[in-house]
Structures are given as C-alpha cells and as structure tokens.
C-alpha cells in the first residue's frame, strides 16, 4: 500500500476506523488480529497540531518518527528540531459487534497487557475477548477489562485490516518533515491537514488518546 493523504481517507470506508467505548460499562466483543505478541508493531510518533474540535480542544495528528532510539537525531528532522516522541500502540482488532476492522490506540502500558493475553491465548486471533470500559466519559482514570468469552479458529490473513502506518499515523519522509518545519505544511497537501480531517468522521473528538494508569487490572 502506498502513502495516501488524509483527504483520501474518506475513500477507504471503515478501514482505519478507531475502536472506542464511549461510556462506563460499554462493552464490545473483539478479536485482536495477531497470532503472538511478536506480531504487534509498536510505533514511536511525533504529534503535530491539526486544527481544533468544535468545542475548541486542539486536535493532533501523528507522524511516524524516522529514527530508532539509539540512532543520531539527524535521522529524523522532527527529533532534530527538539519535538518530543511518544510510544504508541495501534492495535488492530476485528469488532465482532460492529463487524469491521478497527484500530485501538493505546499507550505503552498496553504492551504488557497484550503480552499477558497472548501468552494465554495462542494464536491470539482465535479468542473472542469482551472489552468493558470502566470509567465514565471524560474520566481520566478509565480502565478497560478484558474477558475471554469464546474460542473459534480464525486466520489473521482473512481480515481486511489496514496497517496503521499511512492511515492512523502519517508516514512522511525526512524531506517532507524539513518542508513542514519550514512551511508549516507537508508538500502535496492540497489543503491543510485539519481542513481535510474536519470532513473525516473518524476523528470526532471521542477518540481516547490517554495512556491508561499503569496499575490497570490484568484481564
Ligand atoms: Zn523523530
């Protein structure tokens, strides 16, 4: 899959849609689309401003960092410019209730939770997991409980789920980043990113962007 612009996202239906449970007690049955923990790709991203939500809160877009932690900052213009990095998980799952592939954005605390799940269920994709939100809308102490509810064989390859890089995380070259730093926009964006994304109902202000507390209960 080649790189696309944000304006193109509307052409991809539900692909790249975010998984969300909006309020306390909301549940969904999902399959995580991985066989083992080794199949989960962690990302390191830079955040850039991307306009505002209707309530005035700032929106963010993520841009993939171009260097590994042990490489010189020169490899990534955003690092070189002093922009901070954040580790992110963009977990690919199939929402059995919504009948679509979705991406669940999580902080690094979920790496150990996913490792724990994957150590119990191998291949992980075979297990249907009920996820329950514990925490009211807007509660920054919200946690999520995992409850295995059934096992049925499935193949990761059978799910037509996009890779987050290029959809949920912008995949830019060093030259693109240099241009952004100089001009405030990426080359080839026909309008600014936020104008395009205001039309994109996948970014509706309800996306959970917090890292959960590290004392999240195990499933
Ligand atoms: Zn970087």
């Amino acid at each position: 899959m080649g790189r696309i612009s944000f304006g193109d996202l509307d052409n991809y239906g539900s692909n790249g849609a975010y998984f969300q449970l909006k309020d306390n007690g909301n549940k969904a049955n999902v399959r995580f689309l991985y066989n083992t923990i080794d199949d989960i790709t962690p990302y390191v991203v830079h955040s850039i401003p991307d306009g505002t939500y209707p309530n005035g809160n700032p929106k963010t877009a993520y841009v993939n960092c171009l260097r590994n932690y042990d490489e010189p900052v020169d490899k990534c213009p955003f690092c070189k410019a002093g922009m901070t990095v954040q580790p992110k998980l963009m977990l690919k799952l199939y929402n059995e209730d919504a009948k679509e592939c979705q991406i669940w954005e999580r902080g690094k605390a979920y790496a150990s939770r996913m490792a724990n799940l994957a150590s119990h269920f191998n291949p992980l994709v075979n297990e249907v997991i009920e996820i329950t939100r514990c925490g009211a809308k807007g509660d920054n102490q919200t946690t999520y409980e995992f409850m295995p509810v059934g096992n049925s064989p499935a193949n990761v390859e059978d799910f037509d789920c996009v890779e987050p890089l290029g959809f949920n995380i912008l995949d830019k070259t060093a030259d693109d980043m240099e241009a952004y730093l100089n001009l405030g926009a990426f080359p080839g964006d026909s309008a600014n990113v936020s104008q395009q994304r205001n039309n994109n109902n996948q970014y509706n202000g309800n996306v959970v962007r917090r890292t959960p507390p590290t004392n999240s209960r195990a499933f």
Side-chain angles (χ1 to χ4, degrees), residues 44-46 63-68 73 75-81 83-85 177:
V44 176
V45 302
H46 295 280
V63 183
N64 191 44
C65 179
L66 296 180
R67 72 183 187 99
N68 292 324
V73 292
K75 279 204 80 174
C76 176
F78 280 5
C79 284
K80 195 178 176 188
M83 294 168 62
T84 57
V85 290
M177 289 181 174

Side-chain angles (χ1 to χ4, degrees), residues 125-178:
V125 68
N126 284 0
E127 196 69 24
V128 177
I129 311 280
E130 181 187 77
I131 303 179
T132 304
R133 178 181 172 126
C134 307
K137 194 171 185 173
D139 178 359
N140 62 13
Q141 299 296 312
T142 293
T143 59
Y144 294 87
E145 286 186 357
F146 294 167
M147 174 74 74
V149 292
N151 186 282
S152 61
N155 287 313
V156 170
E157 296 76 24
D158 292 341
F159 296 91
D160 189 21
C161 199
V162 298
E163 289 301 320
L165 187 58
F167 280 88
N168 310 84
I169 297 173
L170 296 173
D171 188 14
K172 296 295 185 183
T173 64
D175 286 347
D176 290 341
M177 289 181 174
E178 295 283 5

